[in-house]
Amino acid sequence: MTAIHVRESRAGHILRRLFSLPAREFGELLLAQMFLLRALWTVRRRPKGTLLRPIDGVAQTDAHPDVGELSRLVTAVDRAAGYGVFRPTCLVRAVALEHMIVRAGVGSAVVRVGVQRGGDRFLAHAWIELDGRVIGDESSRVRQFTPLHDFSALVR
């Protein structure tokens, strides 16, 4: 089988899975793709140093967030990131997910940025936290980074 046939086969498989999604999940996937594109635009176009602004303390919510809704949002972003029109960086994913969580009224999400020294390299990673819990990322991965301030990409 040639590379073209493999690509067509993979694309065909993705399209079949896409169109087999229930209407709600399909809509959430499209919405997540839109938010990822918007986040990519935001990350690339905002002047250096203005994308994220530090926030004082993490707002703890009294009510428990709707875990089902939160899970659907994370799944939609994961699917759009994995199968969408581009592969976003962790920062783009975090910015998109923050916007989606706040828009859905699920809670006060914050973007966390952590740093790590890897030999002679300096590494950074971004993720989302909600009420002190890591959302949409592996806690074991996040623990490898020293967190900086809580940030938000939302214009307030």
Side-chain angles (χ1 to χ4, degrees), residues 66-124:
D66 181 344
V67 176
E69 177 71 14
L70 191 56
S71 177
R72 283 190 298 277
L73 295 174
V74 169
T75 298
V77 169
D78 286 347
R79 285 177 174 167
Y83 301 105
V85 296
F86 71 102
R87 300 299 167 261
T89 63
C90 58
L91 180 59
V92 170
R93 286 175 68 126
V95 169
L97 190 53
E98 178 193 21
H99 283 232
M100 290 181 73
I101 289 170
V102 171
R103 179 183 176 268
V106 178
S108 297
V110 295
V111 176
R112 295 296 306 256
V113 176
V115 294
Q116 172 191 69
R117 186 162 180 98
D120 61 343
R121 296 175 54 197
F122 183 72
L123 306 171

Side-chain angles (χ1 to χ4, degrees), residues 100-145:
M100 290 181 73
I101 289 170
V102 171
R103 179 183 176 268
V106 178
S108 297
V110 295
V111 176
R112 295 296 306 256
V113 176
V115 294
Q116 172 191 69
R117 186 162 180 98
D120 61 343
R121 296 175 54 197
F122 183 72
L123 306 171
H125 183 57
W127 64 93
I128 288 292
E129 286 189 10
L130 180 67
D131 293 335
R133 291 186 348 220
V134 174
I135 304 297
D137 206 329
E138 296 294 324
S139 293
S140 58
R141 177 183 169 140
V142 167
R143 281 194 297 268
Q144 296 174 14
F145 294 86

